[in-house]
Structures are given as structure tokens and as C-alpha cells.
Amino acid sequence: MFRARQGLVIGTNGKCPPRPMRLQVTPDTLILQKEELSYIPGNTIVENVNSIDSRERKVKIVRQKVGGLGISIKGGSEHKLPILISRITKNQAADNTGQLFVGDAILKVNDESLEGSNHDDAVNVLRNAGNNVVLTVRHYGAAAPFLKGCLKKHSNEENIHESPTLRVDEKDPQNAKMEKKWVEFISIPLLMSYITRYIPGTEKLRTDSFEVRNAEQDLTAIVQCEDERSLNDWVTTVASNITEMTYQQMKAFNKNLATADQILWMGWVEEGVEDDPVVGQYSWQPRFLALKGSDIFLMDSPPVVLITDRS
């Protein structure tokens, strides 16, 4: 029987720091959503909102001995905002690229992600990034009201390079506001997906979290729960839907098979590889097992077509 559930958890995709998220489980999908701030402008006029490309950009900066990178930043996880460029000093390193703007969100410094970082951590990363720095950025137009004070503060300084998307009308009405909304962070189809509470490759059980990977093993969601009861409820919900989806797929396969060749069971198991025979130490890897007729199939990933060959 399929189940549906929604609630607040701590989540990550294994590549960025864990952060508060909303978890939704439908009969066929697990969805992690992150919270973002969206600007509700009222009668506010924002000029040239399309003047800067909102796609990800990589910009190389050569740090100067005087002035460094030539940028100031604001935002961070403590404000529920990305790390934002709030100021660019004219004729210094960042300004000389001609490719950075106030309101750009810094996603990565070299290969280090700033997603979920607080302000102080981001400052340290930028300071220690070396002389040749590659910033991965995306323009974040919703930051206009957050950065408006920065622009007013520096409006009389000739050496400040402002973004046209952030020149907000001085007649900003009081009803303009920032509104929180949930946006998709990662979505994992539950058909023949893999769920575990163990840390990959080990026998160490996670005390407060579980992991779900898609069938191809290239998407991961790690979910941390507030207590044991919540953890058990979430694991039961997700595992039940995976089992039901897998059973429905097995029935579809069996429609084309003779009785003697029917698939009796299929699902994920853990295969142990002995690392140290003296102490009996193993490393563990997920394998997909299918019992078909009198045969046992052990695979790296679930079959996308009907199993016909022995292995």
C-alpha cells in the first residue's frame, strides 16, 4: 500500500552542508525542498531586471596585492540567503573582469561550494582561495531589497560599481516584502531505489538519519530526523513505497514470462567484500538481487529490460 507524507527535516545531497528542508514523499517520488526568499515588489520599480544573465557563470579573478579581490559580501545561511556580492570596488580585481555585478550570488570559490555557508565561513574561504580565483556565480535578482541599504550607503562613492538590476526606486512602498517559498532541491524516483541507514561501505549505523539513492545510484538524498520515532516513521514510509513500486515492476516483468521463469523476488541487498581476513573486516556495497525461476541474478543496478541471461 502506497503512503504519502510531508514534514520538516535536515537534508543534503551529500555534496553540500546539511540544512533545514521540507521532505515530501509521494507514492513514486521522494522530494527534498529548500526554503528561499522571494521578493514581492508591490509598486517598487526595479530597472533593467533582464540586463544580467541569470545563468551560472564562471569568472576568473587575479587577486591584487592592494585591495585583494575588490569585493564585499553579505548574506549567508544566518539570513537564509546565498552569499551575495554587495559591493565591487572600481578599478580593482573584480571590476576589471567586467563580468561581476552587485547582486551576484557566489555559488563556488574554485571548487569549494558556498551553498549553505554562513557569512564568516564564506569570508574565510575567499581569503584563503589563493591568487587565481575562479568564482561560480548566478545573478540573484531577489536580493534587491536586502542589498538596497548597501547601495544607498555607498551611492555617493565614485568607486562603487553597482548593478542596474538593483537600482530600486526611492519610492519603495512599505508593503514590499520578502516572502519565503519552498523550491525543489532534489527529486528521487522511488522505483527500484535504494534505502539504507548505514554509512556507505561500512557496518556503522546512522543513529538519526537515512539515505535514499535512485536506481542508477547517481542521485542521493540524506535525511536527518529530530528523533527516533520520526526516523522510523520516515523510513517505513519510504521503504513501503519502494517495495510497492518494485512489486508492481516485478508483476509487469512476469506478464511476459513463463510460469517456471517468473521473478519471485527482487530488491537491494548488501554484498560484503573481505578486506582483512584476520579480523574479519568487510566493506559493503549495494547490489541488486533478483530471484528468477531457478536462477539468482546479482547486479550493480536494477534491470531496465527483462532479465533473460544467466549471470
Side-chain angles (χ1 to χ4, degrees):
M1 180 178 178
F2 288 115
R3 305 184 183 193
R5 182 180 170 91
Q6 176 177 291
L8 298 179
V9 298
I10 303 295
T12 177
N13 59 1
K15 300 177 182 178
C16 63
R19 59 182 288 182
M21 294 193 184
R22 184 166 72 177
L23 176 59
Q24 290 183 328
V25 177
T26 69
D28 60 358
T29 309
L30 179 147
I31 304 167
L32 275 177
Q33 297 175 317
K34 61 182 180 180
E35 195 175 43
E36 288 189 352
L37 291 175
S38 177
Y39 180 53
I40 307 300
N43 296 321
T44 303
I45 300 173
V46 181
E47 301 176 4
N48 301 325
V49 288
N50 295 318
S51 62
I52 300 176
D53 197 336
S54 62
R55 293 175 296 182
E56 281 191 15
R57 314 183 317 270
K58 289 185 181 290
V59 181
K60 183 177 180 180
I61 308 176
V62 179
R63 190 188 303 270
Q64 296 179 347
K65 291 183 179 180
V66 178
L69 297 177
I71 61 173
S72 297
I73 61 171
K74 285 191 174 292
S77 58
E78 63 267 44
H79 301 290
K80 298 187 181 297
L81 284 170
I83 301 300
L84 298 163
I85 296 178
S86 61
R87 181 180 180 185
I88 297 176
T89 305
K90 196 169 183 180
N91 296 326
Q92 292 193 4
D95 184 50
N96 291 339
T97 69
Q99 301 177 60
L100 291 171
F101 302 89
V102 171
D104 280 346
I106 303 177
L107 309 179
K108 290 182 181 179
V109 178
N110 296 327
D111 291 325
E112 185 167 354
S113 174
L114 292 189
E115 188 170 1
S117 295
N118 62 39
H119 181 271
D120 290 345
D121 288 344
V123 169
N124 289 330
V125 171
L126 286 164
R127 282 176 177 168
N128 297 302
N131 292 327
N132 295 307
V133 182
V134 177
L135 298 184
T136 302
V137 300
R138 177 190 293 123
H139 197 64
Y140 193 71
F146 181 77
L147 296 177
K148 180 182 176 183
C150 303
L151 296 178
K152 286 183 177 180
K153 178 180 178 181
H154 302 299
S155 61
N156 294 324
E157 299 181 20
E158 294 182 357
N159 64 336
I160 303 304
H161 176 47
E162 299 177 0
S163 164
T165 64
L166 296 177
R167 292 177 187 154
V168 183
D169 189 357
E170 293 299 325
K171 297 179 181 180
D172 190 6
Q174 292 184 354
N175 65 340
K177 60 182 181 179
M178 297 295 286
E179 183 177 79
K180 295 179 180 179
K181 65 176 182 178
W182 293 102
V183 298
E184 184 175 300
F185 175 71
I186 190 170
S187 177
I188 297 184
L190 293 181
L191 176 60
M192 295 190 286
S193 64
Y194 166 80
I195 182 170
T196 183
R197 285 185 55 191
Y198 286 92
I199 297 174
T202 74
E203 297 179 358
K204 296 179 181 179
L205 186 69
R206 293 183 172 101
T207 58
D208 60 357
S209 57
F210 65 96
E211 178 178 353
V212 178
R213 302 181 198 167
N214 66 337
E216 293 79 15
Q217 301 281 286
D218 57 3
L219 291 176
T220 297
I222 300 174
V223 178
Q224 180 181 338
C225 304
E226 60 181 355
D227 54 42
E228 185 175 358
R229 179 179 177 181
S230 177
L231 173 64
N232 291 334
D233 287 346
W234 278 115
V235 170
T236 299
T237 297
V238 177
S240 295
N241 288 3
I242 292 173
T243 299
E244 185 64 27
M245 292 286 292
T246 303
Y247 175 71
Q248 297 295 336
Q249 183 62 61
M250 188 174 69
K251 285 176 59 177
F253 282 153
N254 282 338
K255 288 181 180 180
N256 300 307
L257 294 172
T259 302
D261 291 327
Q262 295 276 297
I263 299 174
L264 306 177
W265 185 88
M266 64 181 189
W268 288 97
V269 296
E270 297 286 338
E271 181 182 30
V273 179
E274 193 172 34
D275 294 330
D276 190 338
V278 177
V279 297
Q281 182 175 334
Y282 287 81
S283 60
W284 299 87
Q285 297 298 326
R287 302 293 299 278
F288 195 83
L289 186 144
L291 304 178
K292 177 177 176 289
S294 59
D295 297 325
I296 298 177
F297 295 85
L298 196 61
M299 299 162 280
D300 291 333
S301 59
V304 294
V305 294
L306 192 61
I307 304 170
T308 58
D309 299 323
R310 296 190 177 190
S311 60

